[in-house]
Amino acid sequence: MVTAYVMVKAHTGDADRLKTEIEAIEGVVEAHIVAGDVDLIAKVDVETPAAVKDVAATHIQDIEGVESTQTYIAMD
């Protein structure tokens, strides 16, 4: 199992809607609206690093209102 955290910057006012849409993506186990440099953090649990890329680069980045993402794969 591969665990990763996807940091999401959102357009102003879109965080609540994005949280709901991100949580509906297969492989996303939770998402939180946060304060700081990013607007949301999504936790992803999938089988392979390629699946992390699919969730972050394909599904999350394709949602209307997502400005950018950064993905961090857990090493432990």
Side-chain angles (χ1 to χ4, degrees):
M1 205 62 163
V2 178
T3 299
Y5 297 90
V6 181
M7 311 300 149
V8 180
K9 286 192 179 187
H11 294 146
T12 304
D14 285 340
D16 289 323
R17 178 184 56 80
L18 289 174
K19 180 179 184 289
T20 301
E21 290 189 36
I22 290 169
E23 288 175 327
I25 296 169
E26 185 175 344
V28 174
V29 294
E30 58 186 289
H32 301 277
I33 297 172
V34 298
D37 293 336
V38 298
D39 300 299
L40 297 104
I41 299 175
K43 182 179 179 184
V44 176
D45 281 330
V46 290
E47 292 296 320
T48 66
V52 172
K53 179 183 176 213
D54 185 52
V55 169
T58 303
H59 296 291
I60 293 176
Q61 287 183 0
D62 280 351
I63 298 172
E64 180 73 29
V66 171
E67 287 184 19
S68 64
T69 63
Q70 290 184 325
T71 303
Y72 299 89
I73 294 179
M75 301 301 287
D76 62 351

Coordinates of all heavy atoms in Angstrom, one line a residue:
M1 N 0.8 -1.2 0.0 CA 0.0 0.0 0.0 C 0.9 1.2 0.0 O 1.9 1.3 0.7 CB -0.9 0.0 1.2 CG -2.1 0.7 1.2 SD -3.2 0.1 -0.1 CE -4.7 0.8 0.4
V2 N 0.5 2.2 -0.8 CA 1.2 3.5 -0.9 C 0.3 4.6 -0.3 O -0.8 4.7 -0.7 CB 1.6 3.9 -2.3 CG1 2.3 5.2 -2.4 CG2 2.5 2.8 -2.9
T3 N 0.9 5.3 0.7 CA 0.1 6.5 1.3 C 0.8 7.7 0.8 O 2.0 7.9 0.8 CB 0.2 6.4 2.8 OG1 -0.4 5.2 3.2 CG2 -0.5 7.6 3.4
A4 N 0.0 8.7 0.4 CA 0.5 10.0 -0.1 C -0.5 11.1 0.4 O -1.6 10.8 0.7 CB 0.5 10.0 -1.6
Y5 N 0.1 12.3 0.5 CA -0.7 13.5 0.9 C -0.6 14.5 -0.3 O 0.5 14.8 -0.8 CB -0.1 14.1 2.1 CG -0.2 13.1 3.3 CD1 0.8 12.2 3.6 CD2 -1.4 13.0 4.1 CE1 0.7 11.3 4.6 CE2 -1.5 12.1 5.1 CZ -0.4 11.2 5.3 OH -0.6 10.3 6.4
V6 N -1.8 14.9 -0.7 CA -1.9 15.8 -1.8 C -2.3 17.2 -1.3 O -3.4 17.3 -0.7 CB -2.9 15.4 -2.9 CG1 -2.9 16.3 -4.1 CG2 -2.5 14.0 -3.4
M7 N -1.4 18.2 -1.4 CA -1.7 19.6 -1.0 C -2.4 20.3 -2.2 O -1.9 20.2 -3.3 CB -0.5 20.3 -0.7 CG 0.5 19.6 0.3 SD -0.2 19.2 1.8 CE 0.7 17.7 2.2
V8 N -3.6 20.9 -1.9 CA -4.4 21.5 -3.0 C -4.6 23.0 -2.7 O -5.0 23.4 -1.6 CB -5.7 20.8 -3.1 CG1 -6.6 21.4 -4.2 CG2 -5.6 19.3 -3.3
K9 N -4.2 23.8 -3.7 CA -4.5 25.2 -3.7 C -5.8 25.4 -4.5 O -5.9 24.9 -5.6 CB -3.4 26.1 -4.3 CG -2.2 26.2 -3.3 CD -1.3 27.2 -3.8 CE -0.1 27.3 -2.8 NZ 0.8 28.4 -3.1
A10 N -6.8 26.1 -3.9 CA -8.1 26.3 -4.6 C -8.4 27.7 -4.9 O -7.8 28.6 -4.2 CB -9.2 25.7 -3.6
H11 N -9.3 27.9 -5.8 CA -9.8 29.3 -6.1 C -10.6 29.7 -4.9 O -11.2 28.9 -4.2 CB -10.6 29.3 -7.3 CG -9.9 29.0 -8.6 ND1 -10.4 28.4 -9.7 CD2 -8.6 29.3 -9.0 CE1 -9.6 28.3 -10.6 NE2 -8.4 28.8 -10.2
T12 N -10.6 31.0 -4.7 CA -11.4 31.6 -3.5 C -12.8 31.1 -3.5 O -13.5 31.1 -4.5 CB -11.3 33.1 -3.6 OG1 -10.0 33.5 -3.6 CG2 -12.0 33.7 -2.4
G13 N -13.3 30.6 -2.4 CA -14.7 30.2 -2.2 C -15.0 28.8 -2.7 O -16.1 28.4 -2.6
D14 N -14.0 28.1 -3.2 CA -14.3 26.7 -3.7 C -13.9 25.6 -2.8 O -14.2 24.4 -3.1 CB -13.5 26.5 -5.0 CG -14.1 27.2 -6.2 OD1 -15.3 27.6 -6.1 OD2 -13.4 27.4 -7.2
A15 N -13.4 25.9 -1.6 CA -12.8 24.8 -0.8 C -13.9 23.8 -0.3 O -13.6 22.6 -0.4 CB -12.1 25.4 0.5
D16 N -15.0 24.3 0.1 CA -16.1 23.3 0.5 C -16.5 22.3 -0.6 O -16.6 21.1 -0.4 CB -17.3 24.0 1.1 CG -17.0 24.7 2.4 OD1 -16.3 24.1 3.2 OD2 -17.5 25.8 2.6
R17 N -16.7 22.9 -1.8 CA -17.1 22.1 -2.9 C -16.0 21.1 -3.3 O -16.3 19.9 -3.5 CB -17.5 22.9 -4.1 CG -17.9 22.1 -5.3 CD -18.2 23.0 -6.5 NE -17.1 23.9 -6.9 CZ -16.0 23.5 -7.6 NH1 -15.9 22.2 -8.0 NH2 -15.1 24.4 -7.9
L18 N -14.8 21.6 -3.3 CA -13.7 20.8 -3.7 C -13.5 19.6 -2.7 O -13.1 18.5 -3.1 CB -12.4 21.6 -3.8 CG -12.3 22.6 -5.0 CD1 -11.1 23.4 -4.9 CD2 -12.4 21.8 -6.3
K19 N -13.6 19.9 -1.4 CA -13.5 18.9 -0.4 C -14.4 17.7 -0.7 O -14.0 16.5 -0.7 CB -13.7 19.4 1.0 CG -13.6 18.4 2.1 CD -13.9 19.0 3.5 CE -13.7 18.1 4.6 NZ -14.7 17.0 4.7
T20 N -15.7 18.0 -1.0 CA -16.6 17.0 -1.3 C -16.3 16.2 -2.6 O -16.3 15.0 -2.6 CB -18.0 17.6 -1.5 OG1 -18.4 18.3 -0.3 CG2 -19.1 16.6 -1.8
E21 N -15.8 16.9 -3.6 CA -15.5 16.2 -4.9 C -14.2 15.4 -4.7 O -14.1 14.3 -5.2 CB -15.3 17.3 -6.0 CG -16.6 17.9 -6.4 CD -16.5 18.8 -7.6 OE1 -15.7 18.4 -8.5 OE2 -17.2 19.8 -7.7
I22 N -13.2 15.9 -4.0 CA -12.0 15.1 -3.7 C -12.3 13.9 -2.9 O -11.7 12.8 -3.2 CB -10.9 16.0 -3.1 CG1 -10.5 17.1 -4.1 CG2 -9.8 15.2 -2.6 CD1 -9.6 18.2 -3.5
E23 N -13.1 14.0 -1.9 CA -13.4 12.8 -1.1 C -14.1 11.7 -1.9 O -14.0 10.5 -1.5 CB -14.3 13.2 0.1 CG -13.5 14.0 1.2 CD -14.4 14.5 2.3 OE1 -15.6 14.8 2.1 OE2 -13.9 14.6 3.4
A24 N -14.8 12.1 -3.0 CA -15.5 11.1 -3.8 C -14.5 10.3 -4.7 O -15.0 9.3 -5.3 CB -16.6 11.8 -4.6
I25 N -13.3 10.7 -4.8 CA -12.3 10.1 -5.7 C -11.9 8.8 -5.1 O -11.5 8.7 -3.9 CB -11.1 11.0 -6.0 CG1 -11.6 12.2 -6.8 CG2 -10.1 10.3 -6.8 CD1 -10.6 13.3 -6.9
E26 N -11.9 7.7 -5.9 CA -11.4 6.4 -5.4 C -9.9 6.5 -5.1 O -9.1 7.0 -5.8 CB -11.6 5.3 -6.5 CG -11.2 4.0 -6.0 CD -11.5 2.9 -7.1 OE1 -12.3 3.2 -8.0 OE2 -11.0 1.8 -6.9
G27 N -9.6 6.1 -3.9 CA -8.2 6.1 -3.4 C -8.0 7.2 -2.4 O -7.1 7.2 -1.6
V28 N -8.9 8.2 -2.4 CA -8.8 9.3 -1.3 C -9.5 8.8 -0.1 O -10.7 8.4 -0.2 CB -9.4 10.6 -1.9 CG1 -9.5 11.6 -0.7 CG2 -8.6 11.1 -3.0
V29 N -8.8 8.7 1.0 CA -9.5 8.2 2.2 C -10.0 9.3 3.1 O -10.9 9.1 4.0 CB -8.5 7.3 3.0 CG1 -8.3 6.0 2.2 CG2 -7.2 7.9 3.4
E30 N -9.4 10.5 3.0 CA -9.9 11.7 3.7 C -9.4 12.9 3.1 O -8.4 12.9 2.4 CB -9.6 11.6 5.2 CG -8.1 11.5 5.5 CD -7.8 11.3 7.0 OE1 -8.1 12.2 7.8 OE2 -7.4 10.2 7.4
A31 N -10.1 14.1 3.4 CA -9.7 15.4 2.9 C -10.0 16.4 3.9 O -11.1 16.2 4.6 CB -10.3 15.7 1.5
H32 N -9.2 17.4 4.1 CA -9.4 18.4 5.1 C -9.1 19.8 4.6 O -8.2 20.0 3.8 CB -8.5 18.2 6.3 CG -8.7 16.9 7.0 ND1 -9.7 16.6 7.9 CD2 -8.1 15.7 6.8 CE1 -9.7 15.3 8.3 NE2 -8.7 14.8 7.6
I33 N -10.0 20.7 4.9 CA -9.7 22.1 4.6 C -8.8 22.6 5.7 O -9.0 22.4 6.9 CB -11.0 22.9 4.6 CG1 -12.0 22.4 3.5 CG2 -10.7 24.4 4.5 CD1 -13.4 23.0 3.5
V34 N -7.7 23.3 5.3 CA -6.7 23.7 6.3 C -6.4 25.2 6.1 O -6.6 25.8 5.1 CB -5.4 22.8 6.2 CG1 -5.7 21.4 6.4 CG2 -4.8 23.0 4.8
A35 N -5.7 25.7 7.1 CA -5.2 27.1 7.0 C -3.7 27.0 6.7 O -3.1 26.1 7.2 CB -5.4 27.8 8.4
G36 N -3.2 28.0 5.9 CA -1.8 28.0 5.6 C -1.6 28.2 4.1 O -2.4 28.8 3.5
D37 N -0.5 27.7 3.6 CA -0.1 27.9 2.2 C -1.0 27.2 1.2 O -1.0 27.5 0.1 CB 1.3 27.5 2.0 CG 2.3 28.3 2.7 OD1 2.0 29.5 3.0 OD2 3.4 27.9 3.0
V38 N -1.7 26.1 1.7 CA -2.6 25.4 0.8 C -4.0 25.4 1.4 O -4.1 25.8 2.6 CB -2.2 23.9 0.6 CG1 -0.8 23.9 -0.1 CG2 -2.1 23.1 1.9
D39 N -5.0 25.1 0.7 CA -6.4 25.2 1.1 C -6.9 23.8 1.6 O -7.8 23.8 2.5 CB -7.2 25.7 0.0 CG -6.8 27.1 -0.4 OD1 -6.8 28.0 0.5 OD2 -6.4 27.3 -1.5
L40 N -6.5 22.7 1.0 CA -6.9 21.4 1.4 C -5.8 20.4 1.4 O -4.8 20.6 0.6 CB -8.0 20.9 0.4 CG -9.3 21.6 0.2 CD1 -9.3 22.4 -1.0 CD2 -10.4 20.6 0.2
I41 N -5.9 19.4 2.2 CA -4.9 18.3 2.2 C -5.8 17.0 2.1 O -6.7 16.8 2.8 CB -4.1 18.2 3.4 CG1 -3.2 19.5 3.6 CG2 -3.2 17.0 3.4 CD1 -2.4 19.6 4.9
A42 N -5.4 16.2 1.1 CA -6.1 14.9 0.8 C -5.1 13.8 1.1 O -4.0 13.8 0.7 CB -6.6 14.8 -0.6
K43 N -5.6 12.8 1.9 CA -4.8 11.6 2.1 C -5.2 10.5 1.1 O -6.4 10.3 1.0 CB -5.0 11.1 3.5 CG -4.2 9.8 3.9 CD -4.4 9.4 5.3 CE -3.6 8.2 5.6 NZ -3.9 7.6 7.0
V44 N -4.2 9.9 0.5 CA -4.5 8.9 -0.6 C -3.9 7.6 -0.1 O -2.7 7.6 0.2 CB -3.9 9.4 -1.9 CG1 -4.0 8.4 -3.0 CG2 -4.5 10.7 -2.3
D45 N -4.6 6.5 -0.2 CA -4.1 5.2 0.0 C -4.4 4.3 -1.2 O -5.6 4.1 -1.5 CB -4.7 4.5 1.2 CG -4.1 5.0 2.6 OD1 -2.9 5.3 2.6 OD2 -4.8 5.0 3.6
V46 N -3.4 3.9 -2.0 CA -3.5 3.2 -3.2 C -2.5 2.1 -3.3 O -1.6 2.0 -2.4 CB -3.4 4.1 -4.4 CG1 -4.7 5.0 -4.5 CG2 -2.2 4.9 -4.4
E47 N -2.5 1.3 -4.3 CA -1.6 0.1 -4.4 C -0.2 0.5 -4.9 O 0.8 -0.2 -4.6 CB -2.2 -0.9 -5.3 CG -3.5 -1.6 -4.7 CD -3.2 -2.4 -3.5 OE1 -2.1 -3.0 -3.4 OE2 -4.0 -2.3 -2.5
T48 N -0.1 1.5 -5.8 CA 1.2 1.8 -6.4 C 1.5 3.3 -6.6 O 0.5 4.1 -6.5 CB 1.2 1.2 -7.9 OG1 0.3 1.9 -8.7 CG2 0.9 -0.3 -7.9
P49 N 2.7 3.7 -6.7 CA 3.0 5.1 -7.0 C 2.3 5.6 -8.2 O 1.9 6.7 -8.3 CB 4.6 5.1 -7.1 CG 5.0 3.9 -6.3 CD 4.0 2.9 -6.5
A50 N 2.2 4.7 -9.2 CA 1.5 5.2 -10.5 C 0.0 5.5 -10.1 O -0.6 6.4 -10.7 CB 1.5 4.1 -11.5
A51 N -0.6 4.8 -9.2 CA -2.0 5.1 -8.8 C -2.0 6.4 -8.1 O -3.0 7.2 -8.2 CB -2.5 4.0 -8.0
V52 N -1.0 6.8 -7.3 CA -0.9 8.1 -6.7 C -0.9 9.2 -7.8 O -1.7 10.2 -7.7 CB 0.3 8.3 -5.8 CG1 0.5 9.7 -5.3 CG2 0.3 7.3 -4.6
K53 N -0.1 9.0 -8.8 CA -0.1 9.9 -9.9 C -1.4 10.1 -10.6 O -1.9 11.2 -10.9 CB 1.0 9.5 -10.9 CG 1.1 10.4 -12.1 CD 2.0 9.9 -13.1 CE 2.0 10.8 -14.3 NZ 2.3 10.2 -15.6
D54 N -2.1 9.0 -10.7 CA -3.5 9.0 -11.4 C -4.4 9.8 -10.5 O -5.2 10.6 -11.1 CB -4.0 7.6 -11.6 CG -5.3 7.5 -12.3 OD1 -5.4 8.1 -13.4 OD2 -6.2 6.9 -11.8
V55 N -4.4 9.6 -9.2 CA -5.3 10.3 -8.3 C -5.0 11.8 -8.4 O -5.9 12.7 -8.6 CB -5.3 9.8 -6.9 CG1 -6.0 10.7 -5.9 CG2 -5.9 8.4 -6.8
A56 N -3.7 12.2 -8.2 CA -3.3 13.6 -8.0 C -3.3 14.3 -9.4 O -4.0 15.4 -9.5 CB -2.0 13.7 -7.4
A57 N -2.6 13.7 -10.4 CA -2.4 14.5 -11.6 C -3.6 14.4 -12.6 O -3.8 15.3 -13.4 CB -1.2 13.9 -12.3
T58 N -4.4 13.3 -12.5 CA -5.5 13.2 -13.4 C -6.8 13.6 -12.7 O -7.5 14.5 -13.2 CB -5.7 11.7 -13.8 OG1 -4.5 11.3 -14.4 CG2 -6.8 11.5 -14.8
H59 N -7.2 13.0 -11.6 CA -8.5 13.3 -11.0 C -8.5 14.6 -10.2 O -9.4 15.4 -10.5 CB -8.9 12.1 -10.1 CG -9.1 10.9 -10.9 ND1 -10.1 10.7 -11.8 CD2 -8.4 9.7 -10.9 CE1 -10.0 9.5 -12.3 NE2 -8.9 8.9 -11.8
I60 N -7.6 14.8 -9.3 CA -7.7 16.1 -8.5 C -7.4 17.3 -9.3 O -8.2 18.3 -9.3 CB -6.8 16.0 -7.3 CG1 -7.3 14.9 -6.3 CG2 -6.7 17.4 -6.5 CD1 -6.4 14.7 -5.1
Q61 N -6.4 17.3 -10.1 CA -6.1 18.5 -10.9 C -7.1 18.8 -12.0 O -7.2 19.9 -12.4 CB -4.7 18.3 -11.6 CG -3.5 18.4 -10.6 CD -2.2 18.3 -11.2 OE1 -2.1 18.2 -12.4 NE2 -1.2 18.4 -10.4
D62 N -7.9 17.8 -12.4 CA -8.9 18.1 -13.4 C -10.2 18.7 -12.8 O -11.1 19.1 -13.6 CB -9.3 16.8 -14.1 CG -8.3 16.4 -15.1 OD1 -7.4 17.2 -15.5 OD2 -8.4 15.2 -15.7
I63 N -10.3 18.8 -11.5 CA -11.5 19.4 -10.9 C -11.5 20.9 -11.1 O -10.5 21.6 -10.8 CB -11.6 19.1 -9.4 CG1 -11.7 17.6 -9.2 CG2 -12.8 19.8 -8.7 CD1 -11.6 17.2 -7.7
E64 N -12.6 21.5 -11.6 CA -12.7 22.9 -11.7 C -12.5 23.6 -10.4 O -13.2 23.2 -9.4 CB -14.1 23.2 -12.3 CG -14.4 24.7 -12.5 CD -13.6 25.3 -13.7 OE1 -13.4 24.5 -14.6 OE2 -13.3 26.5 -13.7
G65 N -11.7 24.6 -10.3 CA -11.4 25.3 -9.1 C -10.1 25.0 -8.4 O -9.7 25.7 -7.5
V66 N -9.4 23.9 -8.9 CA -8.1 23.5 -8.3 C -7.1 24.4 -9.1 O -7.0 24.3 -10.3 CB -7.8 22.0 -8.5 CG1 -6.4 21.7 -8.2 CG2 -8.8 21.2 -7.6
E67 N -6.3 25.2 -8.3 CA -5.2 26.0 -9.0 C -4.0 25.1 -9.2 O -3.4 25.2 -10.2 CB -4.9 27.2 -8.1 CG -6.0 28.2 -8.1 CD -5.5 29.5 -7.3 OE1 -4.3 29.6 -7.0 OE2 -6.4 30.2 -6.9
S68 N -3.6 24.4 -8.1 CA -2.4 23.6 -8.2 C -2.4 22.5 -7.1 O -3.1 22.6 -6.2 CB -1.1 24.5 -8.1 OG -1.1 25.1 -6.8
T69 N -1.5 21.6 -7.3 CA -1.3 20.5 -6.3 C 0.2 20.2 -6.1 O 1.0 20.5 -7.0 CB -2.0 19.2 -6.7 OG1 -1.4 18.7 -7.8 CG2 -3.5 19.4 -6.9
Q70 N 0.5 19.7 -4.9 CA 1.8 19.2 -4.6 C 1.5 17.8 -3.9 O 0.7 17.8 -3.0 CB 2.6 20.1 -3.7 CG 3.1 21.3 -4.4 CD 4.0 22.1 -3.4 OE1 3.8 22.1 -2.2 NE2 5.0 22.8 -4.0
T71 N 2.3 16.8 -4.3 CA 2.1 15.5 -3.8 C 3.3 15.0 -3.0 O 4.4 15.1 -3.5 CB 1.7 14.5 -4.9 OG1 0.6 15.0 -5.6 CG2 1.4 13.1 -4.3
Y72 N 3.1 14.4 -1.8 CA 4.1 13.9 -1.0 C 3.8 12.4 -0.7 O 2.8 12.2 -0.1 CB 4.2 14.7 0.3 CG 4.6 16.1 0.1 CD1 3.6 17.1 -0.1 CD2 5.9 16.6 0.0 CE1 3.9 18.4 -0.4 CE2 6.2 17.9 -0.3 CZ 5.2 18.8 -0.4 OH 5.5 20.1 -0.7
I73 N 4.7 11.5 -1.0 CA 4.5 10.1 -0.7 C 5.2 9.8 0.6 O 6.4 10.1 0.8 CB 5.1 9.2 -1.9 CG1 4.3 9.5 -3.2 CG2 5.1 7.8 -1.5 CD1 4.8 8.7 -4.4
A74 N 4.4 9.1 1.5 CA 5.0 8.7 2.8 C 6.0 7.7 2.6 O 5.9 6.8 1.8 CB 3.8 8.3 3.7
M75 N 7.1 7.8 3.4 CA 8.2 6.8 3.3 C 8.2 5.7 4.4 O 9.1 4.9 4.4 CB 9.5 7.6 3.3 CG 9.6 8.6 2.2 SD 9.5 7.9 0.5 CE 11.1 7.1 0.4
D76 N 7.2 5.8 5.3 CA 7.2 4.8 6.4 C 5.9 4.0 6.4 O 5.0 4.2 5.6 CB 7.4 5.5 7.7 CG 6.3 6.5 8.1 OD1 5.5 6.8 7.2 OD2 6.3 6.9 9.2

